């Protein structure tokens, strides 16, 4: 029997070397088009698989939501799957493919950009909401239900964060049906307005209370400043100095210090050491204080030994 020559072996090796990249390309294209890999792993999690089958998007292909429709992105995803599952030499695709970009939702739900949507007693102008939020901020459970790792759904408090700021707080703006049996039965709003509202109402976002509750009603228990309106941050220092203010009913001292960078309100002994702190973090002081606050003591008041008068840039001798 004739033995293959060295030349034949070389041709075989060359053929294999040339065929390998082609095989990899074909497999990558196959994975990019057919995407057989998603279910083979995720279906092993029975809770996730069942939640996905029960969701409204059960018939939608995984890639339609999780991968960009651009050819280069589909090929990239296919190769990542190939070298992760068939040839396990790469890590699984990361968060960039787990997330769902708005444009993929709009590929099927384009109509929401033209007119308000009505469902479950709510009327929503999505195109306005989309200016400040992503689709998944409210609809994270659409495809995988409660099995979604980070569940985010719309809520009264969430909507009112923008509506209060924009001054659009009439109930009829969003609610089609306000009958007693159609009132919100879930979410934080239902808890803060339920039978134990007196004990639980502090669990809500006080910024949204202003929609229905006037400040004089809250002030009876909480003192001035509640509910917090959209300008509250600018005027909270003045309100906090009111003798009737009861900030500590809701806020610990650390709540103020975390934002201001030092003890707030200032302690009785603060003045003794404030010069040292001001040198270290002068920018913190300027959040609340104008230059005139410093001049009241350091310029206009004449210390023994002299003080600097900024108006004349001269040393002023000590007063009698």
């Amino acid at each position: 029997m004739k033995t293959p020559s060295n030349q034949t072996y070389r041709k075989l090796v060359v053929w294999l070397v040339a065929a390998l990249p082609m095989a990899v390309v074909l497999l990558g294209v196959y994975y990019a088009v057919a995407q057989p890999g998603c279910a083979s792993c995720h279906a092993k999690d029975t809770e996730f698989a069942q939640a996905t089958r029960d969701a409204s998007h059960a018939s939608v292909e995984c890639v339609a939501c999780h991968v960009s429709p651009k050819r280069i992105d589909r090929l990239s995803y296919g190769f990542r799957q190939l070298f992760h599952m068939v040839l396990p030499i790469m890590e699984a695709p990361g968060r960039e493919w787990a997330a769902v970009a708005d444009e993929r939702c709009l590929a099927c739900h384009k109509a929401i950009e033209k007119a308000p949507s009505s469902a479950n007693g709510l009327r929503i102008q999505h195109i306005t909401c989309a200016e400040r939020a992503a689709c998944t901020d409210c609809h994270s459970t659409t495809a995988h239900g409660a099995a979604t790792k980070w569940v985010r759904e719309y809520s009264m408090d969430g909507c009112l964060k923008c509506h209060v700021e924009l001054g659009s707080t009439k109930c009829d703006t969003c609610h089609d049906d306000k009958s007693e049996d159609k009132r919100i039965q879930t979410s934080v709003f239902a808890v803060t307005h339920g039978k134990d509202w007196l004990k639980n109402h502090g669990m809500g976002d006080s910024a949204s209370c202003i929609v229905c509750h006037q400040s004089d009603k809250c002030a009876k228990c909480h003192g001035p400043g509640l509910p917090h309106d959209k300008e509250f941050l600018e005027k909270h220092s003045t309100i906090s100095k009111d003798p009737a203010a009861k900030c500590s009913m809701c806020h610990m001292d650390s709540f103020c210090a975390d934002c201001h960078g030092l003890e707030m309100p200032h302690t009785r002994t603060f003045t003794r050491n404030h010069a040292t702190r001001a040198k270290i973090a002068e920018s913190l002081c300027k959040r609340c204080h104008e230059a005139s606050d410093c001049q009241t003591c350091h310029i206009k008041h004449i210390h023994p030994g002299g003080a600097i008068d900024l108006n004349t840039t001269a040393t002023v001798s000590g007063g009698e």
Side-chain angles (χ1 to χ4, degrees):
M1 188 174 72
K2 187 176 181 181
T3 304
S5 65
N6 291 336
Q7 185 176 5
T8 302
Y9 279 120
R10 284 196 295 269
K11 288 181 178 180
L12 181 60
V13 171
V14 170
W15 185 86
L16 290 174
V17 171
L20 183 60
M22 182 60 70
V24 170
V25 170
L26 291 175
L27 282 172
V29 171
Y30 168 69
Y31 270 81
V33 175
Q35 289 298 331
C38 299
S40 62
C41 283
H42 292 290
K44 294 178 182 178
D45 184 339
T46 54
E47 180 182 352
F48 182 88
Q50 185 61 50
T52 301
R53 286 193 292 269
D54 294 340
S56 59
H57 282 48
S59 60
V60 180
E61 294 182 358
C62 303
V63 292
C65 295
H66 292 287
V67 185
S68 167
K70 296 179 181 179
R71 293 180 181 178
I72 186 65
D73 292 328
R74 289 288 174 92
L75 286 173
S76 174
Y77 188 77
F79 282 112
R80 286 287 295 271
Q81 288 287 75
L82 170 63
F83 289 113
H84 170 64
M85 299 181 64
V86 181
L87 302 173
I89 58 177
M90 294 182 67
E91 294 183 356
R95 174 64 185 164
E96 68 273 19
W97 278 311
V100 179
D102 287 354
E103 58 265 22
R104 296 171 206 165
C105 300
L106 293 174
C108 295
H109 301 284
K110 196 72 176 176
I112 66 170
E113 294 183 308
K114 299 179 180 179
S117 303
S118 296
N120 301 320
L122 290 175
R123 182 173 54 253
I124 302 173
Q125 182 63 277
H126 282 89
I127 193 63
T128 302
C129 297
E131 295 177 2
R132 303 190 180 198
C135 299
T136 52
D137 287 343
C138 296
H139 304 288
S140 67
T141 61
T142 299
H144 307 297
T148 302
K149 290 185 177 180
W150 182 17
V151 175
R152 288 155 293 157
E153 298 179 303
Y154 57 84
S155 67
M156 177 73 82
D157 282 346
C159 296
L160 285 176
K161 286 182 179 179
C162 289
H163 278 266
V164 169
E165 184 178 338
L166 297 173
S168 177
T169 56
K170 292 184 178 180
C171 300
D172 292 338
T173 301
C174 300
H175 294 280
D176 288 330
D177 190 344
K178 302 191 297 298
S179 60
E180 188 70 20
D181 62 336
K182 296 294 184 181
R183 293 183 64 180
I184 297 175
Q185 303 296 321
T186 59
S187 80
V188 173
F189 187 85
V191 174
T192 57
H193 294 75
K195 61 179 181 180
D196 294 324
W197 71 269
L198 188 62
K199 180 174 64 176
N200 297 333
H201 70 283
M203 295 172 63
D205 185 347
S206 63
S208 64
C209 301
I210 195 69
V211 175
C212 302
H213 304 289
Q214 300 303 311
S215 58
D216 56 348
K217 183 175 182 179
C218 301
K220 295 177 182 178
C221 295
H222 293 281
L226 278 173
H228 298 334
D229 55 28
K230 61 181 180 180
E231 290 89 17
F232 182 77
L233 188 62
E234 299 175 4
K235 60 188 180 184
H236 77 283
S237 59
T238 301
I239 294 175
S240 66
K241 296 175 184 177
D242 191 307
K246 301 177 182 178
C247 306
S248 59
M249 286 184 66
C250 299
H251 302 293
M252 300 177 66
D253 291 342
S254 59
F255 182 86
C256 305
D258 288 345
C259 188
H260 286 275
L262 67 167
E263 297 93 333
M264 292 296 294
H266 296 327
T267 61
R268 292 184 178 181
T269 60
F270 179 81
T271 305
R272 299 176 187 174
N273 303 315
H274 79 283
T276 301
R277 297 193 179 192
K279 291 179 181 178
I280 298 174
E282 183 178 349
S283 61
L284 294 178
C285 303
K286 290 182 177 179
R287 288 181 177 181
C288 301
H289 296 286
E290 301 288 345
S292 58
D293 293 338
C294 302
Q295 293 172 4
T296 299
C297 291
H298 291 276
I299 304 300
K300 296 178 181 180
H301 177 70
I302 306 302
H303 293 273
I308 300 298
D309 187 337
L310 295 182
N311 295 322
T312 62
T313 65
T315 302
V316 180
S317 60
E320 296 181 1

